[in-house]
Amino acid sequence: MDSDANAEVVNDVDDDGDVGVDDGGNEHNIPCNVYRLLGVGILSTFLPSAILGGHLIDTTPLIDSRELEQAMNNVLPLRTRILCIFQHAFSTQRMVSLQRWFEPNRDKELKYDTTWTSQWVRNYRQCIRVLFDANVRGLWRERNISLVTPLKILLEANAKKDLLDIKDEDDEEDDKTAPIRMPALTTISEVLTAAYCGTLITLGLVRERGALSKVAHALAKINKFEFETILALEMLQKEDLSEKAFTLIDENGKEFQIDTFSSHHHPQQHGHGGHQQHHHHPQPHVNQQMIHRRRTLRLLTRCCSLLPMRPFIDGKREWTSKLSHSLAAFNHVTTVYHTNLRNSIESAICWFYCHIDNGVRPHQNVLISPAFLKELALSLKQLPPEPCSAMGVLIEQFVLRFADINWNTVKKLPDTQKYKMITVEFEQLQRQFPVFNKTQFAIQNCMQFFYQICTLVKELGDAQILRNAVVQQFENAYEYLRELGVWDAICFMEVNQHKM
């Protein structure tokens, strides 16, 4: 899997293998299964090396921004939790020093959190025993496994109270010394379910004895874009996914905003300390409708840039279309969250494999066989790759072109004429973006994803999980697209694409 975004590892281990404080072991204690996972590419070498070496360095990104620095601070607790899971698997308790480009003289100390890790282990063992109980397995054995599958299973199991009276015999023992008895898993689907369950616990979506958070209850209802939706909600809860214009930082520490009406000719520059040097008011001809459109496009394109372009291309053509500086800057923020979500999955897999050696049983030979590990690695490669801005660029052009159609007038025409007009627009988009061989399908998926996010934002706003300001952004964007007729046109395309 991909290594941590914008980061390097420095291996600096003393002769005795002691780095930092609270060392609970060294590389000689690393379970053999870790090397098996590394060998087939299920684990990257990045975080294991960081733990053994004791150092992490977040290097300067290609496009630096205040928003990226904020995102790096927001994901720091998650990064620390991921390292704790790895360290529990390795039987180490080391402090890892983190150096960041925007705090060059202030290293962070990522310390092993015994309390949190012990609770994670207890919660994970409890949930695993519920998920793989003989009475529960029938709820999910035939399902396609996704990142939200454990939520769906636990939600159904929670409705059957008698199934949750499963005693954890080791609950009262020290989780580092107690024998951890894992259930007998024999299939890729079972291992993926176990790994995703551990990830959801790390994210705080699953709690003690399989209880689900309010966000988890909302996620359990979705059946599409599961990985990307969890990614979006993580960003939304930290308010790192919004319509706000980015403030970039150049190599001299000067700040300037992009993607604003005044930025094209008069960038607002500030010193790195935030002292304003130049200020220009928006140009007089800019009206509220233009500002509203710009904000809607920012929010829509940023959401859609979370989607991978892989399902909509054939790989035979390279990207020759325009790029977006604004989305490229946002992509750095997205990559931070994406990488940590992938690392969280890796940590759960690593922990699981490090605890199947306690009392070798026949089924465990299957899990560590080269053929099984290779198949598991291929299954994990089906997870979305690191995001790129392509889908955002595509959907922006679609909306801008669609605004010129005047759908509210066109929709009064016969269906054949409406379909023909939309088809012409897609053909022009295809010529503009030749890398896509499924342009219409890509547009439909973008709008379906944004609609799903809008729905979840409304639900989580009503539950007072998201601030009203966040909810209002999505409501405004949804309403703007409705007034353009975009939602009506997308529905028309989906209903009639096989009829015309």
Side-chain angles (χ1 to χ4, degrees):
M1 291 185 183
D2 297 322
S3 61
D4 205 358
N6 305 321
E8 294 178 354
V9 176
V10 178
N11 289 316
D12 184 15
V13 185
D14 296 334
D15 292 339
D16 61 358
D18 187 15
V19 180
V21 297
D22 297 329
D23 183 19
N26 55 44
E27 56 270 26
H28 302 297
N29 301 117
I30 305 300
C32 293
N33 282 345
V34 173
Y35 298 102
R36 293 187 174 100
L37 297 175
L38 289 168
V40 296
I42 293 174
L43 294 186
S44 67
T45 60
F46 181 76
L47 291 180
S49 298
I51 292 168
L52 296 177
H55 291 280
L56 275 173
I57 299 178
D58 290 336
T59 57
T60 306
L62 291 176
I63 305 177
D64 194 7
S65 67
R66 283 296 181 198
E67 289 72 23
L68 177 58
E69 295 176 5
Q70 175 183 307
M72 295 295 289
N73 285 324
N74 287 338
V75 300
L76 194 58
L78 177 58
R79 296 178 77 181
T80 303
R81 294 196 293 266
I82 292 169
L83 287 173
C84 286
I85 297 170
F86 272 111
Q87 295 222 58
H88 188 276
F90 297 167
S91 297
T92 59
Q93 294 186 17
R94 294 181 169 182
M95 184 274 290
V96 177
S97 174
L98 172 63
Q99 299 175 4
R100 305 191 288 183
W101 79 91
F102 56 94
E103 292 182 334
N105 300 316
R106 289 184 291 170
D107 292 4
K108 293 284 185 181
E109 293 185 350
L110 308 184
K111 297 180 179 180
Y112 183 80
D113 189 335
T114 303
T115 302
W116 182 89
T117 308
S118 298
Q119 187 63 52
W120 183 90
V121 171
R122 282 195 294 272
N123 292 352
Y124 188 43
R125 288 157 64 189
Q126 291 167 358
C127 290
I128 287 294
R129 291 184 180 185
V130 172
L131 289 172
F132 297 101
D133 180 78
N135 295 318
V136 179
R137 287 196 184 200
L139 297 175
W140 63 275
R141 188 175 290 276
E142 302 300 324
R143 299 187 186 192
N144 292 323
I145 305 303
S146 73
L147 194 51
V148 301
T149 297
L151 300 180
K152 295 177 180 291
I153 302 169
L154 290 170
L155 191 61
E156 293 181 43
N158 277 326
K160 305 175 184 293
K161 297 298 184 182
D162 56 311
L163 295 181
L164 294 181
D165 293 332
I166 300 174
K167 302 295 184 183
D168 191 336
E169 298 172 2
D170 302 322
D171 267 353
E172 303 303 322
E173 300 182 51
D174 184 345
D175 60 82
K176 288 192 65 179
T177 60
I180 299 177
R181 293 185 288 276
M182 302 302 293
L185 310 186
T186 58
T187 68
I188 296 294
S189 295
E190 291 174 335
V191 173
L192 288 177
T193 301
Y196 295 158
C197 178
T199 301
L200 296 168
I201 295 171
T202 305
L203 297 175
L205 297 171
V206 179
R207 297 166 181 170
E208 193 168 4
R209 294 202 174 276
L212 304 186
S213 69
K214 291 181 180 179
V215 177
H217 276 277
L219 286 168
K221 303 173 187 176
I222 68 173
N223 296 300
K224 196 173 184 180
F225 312 116
E226 295 91 348
F227 185 97
E228 296 87 353
T229 302
I230 289 179
L231 180 64
L233 291 187
E234 282 294 301
M235 298 177 71
L236 282 167
Q237 290 180 86
K238 303 293 192 301
E239 299 192 15
D240 285 327
L241 174 56
S242 72
E243 64 183 20
K244 185 177 67 172
F246 265 42
T247 301
L248 302 192
I249 305 171
D250 66 16
E251 65 276 9
N252 298 314
K254 304 294 185 182
E255 296 184 3
F256 60 97
Q257 283 198 330
I258 59 171
D259 200 26
T260 62
F261 287 105
S262 60
S263 65
H264 297 298
H265 305 289
H266 308 288
Q268 297 181 20
Q269 296 185 345
H270 305 267
H272 204 283
H275 300 292
Q276 183 174 336
Q277 295 181 341
H278 301 284
H279 178 74
H280 296 270
H281 294 286
Q283 301 174 43
H285 64 272
V286 176
N287 56 43
Q288 192 61 38
Q289 184 179 6
M290 294 170 65
I291 295 173
H292 188 28
R293 183 179 74 170
R294 179 64 60 88
R295 289 174 176 172
T296 296
L297 286 175
R298 264 198 228 114
L299 192 60
L300 173 65
T301 56
R302 288 174 182 177
C303 285
C304 293
S305 67
L306 302 182
L307 295 173
M309 63 185 294
R310 184 169 62 187
F312 315 108
I313 64 174
D314 55 16
K316 297 178 181 179
R317 303 173 185 86
E318 60 183 10
W319 183 271
T320 58
S321 310
K322 73 166 192 174
L323 298 173
S324 168
H325 195 190
S326 175
L327 286 177
F330 176 73
N331 186 64
H332 281 62
V333 174
T334 307
T335 301
V336 168
Y337 279 89
H338 182 281
T339 301
N340 281 281
L341 186 52
R342 293 289 294 259
N343 285 343
S344 184
I345 295 173
E346 284 190 15
S347 68
I349 292 175
C350 181
W351 189 93
F352 175 81
Y353 264 88
C354 287
H355 290 91
I356 61 173
D357 283 334
N358 297 324
V360 177
R361 287 172 278 180
H363 75 273
Q364 291 168 349
N365 293 330
V366 175
L367 298 185
I368 62 177
S369 68
F372 187 94
L373 290 173
K374 181 179 179 180
E375 185 179 353
L376 178 59
L378 290 173
S379 298
L380 290 168
K381 288 184 182 297
Q382 300 308 308
L383 288 171
E386 284 192 357
C388 66
S389 59
M391 298 295 282
V393 174
L394 177 66
I395 196 66
E396 180 178 32
Q397 285 303 304
F398 168 75
V399 173
L400 290 174
R401 296 181 67 89
F402 191 85
D404 296 330
I405 293 179
N406 192 7
W407 180 259
N408 292 321
T409 300
V410 171
K411 68 180 182 181
K412 300 174 184 178
L413 299 174
D415 286 355
T416 52
Q417 288 183 256
K418 287 190 290 186
Y419 193 81
K420 183 178 180 180
M421 292 187 67
I422 293 177
T423 301
V424 169
E425 292 299 320
F426 280 122
E427 289 173 351
Q428 292 176 346
L429 277 175
Q430 182 68 62
R431 287 191 291 270
Q432 188 175 356
F433 299 97
V435 69
F436 290 96
N437 68 325
K438 300 177 181 177
T439 308
Q440 181 172 337
F441 187 44
I443 294 295
Q444 289 174 327
N445 273 263
C446 283
M447 298 309 300
Q448 289 169 6
F449 178 61
F450 188 66
Y451 179 83
Q452 180 167 288
I453 297 300
C454 287
T455 303
L456 288 171
V457 166
K458 178 66 168 63
E459 181 177 347
L460 296 178
D462 292 342
Q464 297 184 335
I465 294 172
L466 297 179
R467 290 196 312 118
N468 184 62
V470 175
V471 178
Q472 193 63 49
Q473 291 178 22
F474 282 86
E475 290 181 346
N476 291 341
Y478 179 91
E479 188 62 24
Y480 177 82
L481 295 171
R482 187 193 65 79
E483 291 174 357
L484 279 183
V486 172
W487 298 116
D488 185 64
I490 292 294
C491 181
F492 174 80
M493 285 189 295
E494 292 175 348
V495 171
N496 293 280
Q497 61 184 342
H498 299 300
K499 297 180 181 179
M500 300 296 178

